[in-house]
Amino acid sequence: MAIERTLSIIKPDATRRNLTGKINAKFEEAGLRIVAQKRIQLTKAQAGEFYKVHAERPFYDELCDFMASEPVVVQVLEGDGAIAKNREVMGATNPADAAPGTIRAEYAESVGENSVHGSDAPETAAVEIAYFFSGLELVG
């Protein structure tokens, strides 16, 4: 596999419960390196721009409100097949369907408040990383 970078967001439900360290440990134990990281407070407009691909979906407004409700931790993970590895470590979107030991199985509160976001493809990762980080902030 190739070395890749992917965007990861630790969502408001997880930062509110102080789970950042536990979640990061799962990424690192899976062989992913954190090459950029910052804690930020999104506005609803910023969340809306980031999730604009979902603008026509019925959950869009609720998602944007949620993502702006508390601080989030945005980060870039790097490693062999980082996109697929991150998605494996996160688990299924619905925590009821997530494999035991995954982040969502252990920490998600619901389908909507599922603790983490991860890019789904190399093209998406490039756009999502650039939304939050300049090239100077990526240190790996």
Side-chain angles (χ1 to χ4, degrees):
M1 288 200 147
I3 298 292
E4 294 177 327
R5 287 182 172 167
T6 187
L7 184 81
S8 167
I9 301 176
I10 301 176
K11 294 181 177 182
D13 62 297
T15 61
R16 180 182 67 246
R17 292 177 290 143
N18 205 29
L19 297 173
T20 301
K22 290 178 181 179
I23 290 171
N24 283 341
K26 286 192 172 288
F27 292 138
E28 291 176 336
E29 288 164 8
L32 296 167
R33 291 183 52 205
I34 300 167
V35 297
Q37 182 181 66
K38 55 189 167 185
R39 183 179 177 96
I40 61 173
Q41 176 76 52
L42 291 171
T43 65
K44 186 172 179 182
Q46 290 166 328
E49 178 63 23
F50 181 77
Y51 285 108
K52 69 183 174 187
V53 67
H54 299 301
E56 300 303 316
R57 313 270 308 260
F59 60 82
Y60 175 74
D61 283 332
E62 185 179 341
L63 173 63
C64 294
D65 286 339
F66 168 63
M67 291 301 291
S69 69
E70 304 260 351
V72 297
V73 174
V74 293
Q75 54 195 8
V76 179
L77 306 176
E78 179 182 84
D80 286 330
I83 295 166
K85 178 60 69 175
N86 180 34
R87 296 185 72 76
E88 178 185 319
V89 172
M90 288 191 308
T93 302
N94 184 341
D97 299 332
T102 62
I103 293 167
R104 290 176 172 152
E106 291 189 16
Y107 303 123
E109 295 183 317
S110 67
V111 173
E113 295 187 10
N114 60 18
S115 300
V116 285
H117 164 91
S119 303
D120 62 2
E123 301 78 19
T124 309
V127 170
E128 291 182 347
I129 290 168
Y131 187 79
F132 291 108
F133 295 96
S134 74
L136 292 173
E137 296 175 293
L138 304 174
V139 290

